[in-house]
Amino acid sequence: MAHPDPEPEPAAAAEAAAEAEREEDREDEAEPKPDPEQAQRTVDRLMWTSAWLTVLVGVFLVVGIARSDSHYSVFAWLGAVVAMLGLLALATAYFACARKRLTLRTRLRGPLDVFKASTVVMVIVVICGLLVPTDNTPALAVLLPWAVTYWLYGLEKTEAPTP
């Protein structure tokens, strides 16, 4: 009866190692490589989407006001006007970012950049939009385009400060 050799032959061990290395190379080739141009196109599309969604929120707010038959108080009209001005400001900023005139990280004053300013404006729009008695959906719908820009803002890498 033949007994198997407890240690494999050196040639067989080298061949097995080479085969394992070739297998790893095939796995590396199968992994998709990031395409920076495609990533930039996706970011651009998302900025355009945020801008148009903001415009749609403004349209929904105006349609809700026009269709209502209730008499608004002074606070409701003030809320509607401030909300519309805020939506116009947000849409303008998002369109400027989509056209590459601005970025979300463009500094406006001190530590305040475009994204942080848009966050303040968005909060004001939501609060003022809630003062309009018709429907709260448009006031809360402005959170969707802002959430997309929040995600895009987090994707951009900040440069490390040089000491």
Side-chain angles (χ1 to χ4, degrees):
M1 184 164 147
H3 294 286
D5 193 12
E7 294 181 26
E9 295 179 25
E15 187 177 320
E19 180 64 31
E21 188 175 312
R22 284 191 295 269
E23 187 68 31
E24 286 178 13
D25 289 341
R26 280 188 225 124
E27 288 177 3
D28 289 342
E29 291 172 1
E31 291 180 17
K33 295 184 179 170
D35 182 12
E37 291 177 14
Q38 183 181 8
Q40 186 59 45
R41 284 191 306 267
T42 302
V43 167
D44 293 344
R45 274 187 295 215
L46 287 172
M47 269 324 296
W48 281 107
T49 302
S50 291
W52 285 112
L53 283 173
T54 305
V55 169
L56 283 175
V57 169
V59 168
F60 291 146
L61 186 64
V62 168
V63 167
I65 291 170
R67 292 182 71 194
S68 75
D69 56 352
S70 63
H71 296 287
Y72 288 162
S73 67
V74 172
F75 288 116
W77 279 113
L78 181 64
V81 169
V82 171
M84 286 306 300
L85 291 175
L87 286 170
L88 285 173
L90 285 174
T92 302
Y94 294 159
F95 277 121
C97 288
R99 294 187 65 182
K100 300 197 186 303
R101 307 259 184 205
L102 290 175
T103 66
L104 291 173
R105 295 195 182 273
T106 301
R107 296 277 179 211
L108 299 176
R109 182 175 286 239
L112 186 68
D113 58 16
V114 172
F115 175 74
K116 292 174 186 171
S118 73
T119 302
V120 171
V121 172
M122 184 269 310
V123 169
I124 292 169
V125 166
V126 168
I127 291 170
C128 291
L130 293 175
L131 292 175
V132 179
T134 56
D135 189 11
N136 293 336
T137 304
L140 297 175
V142 76
L143 293 172
L144 178 62
W146 177 83
V148 171
T149 60
Y150 174 76
W151 183 69
L152 291 174
Y153 184 76
L155 283 179
E156 294 179 10
K157 295 178 183 175
T158 57
E159 295 180 18
T162 54

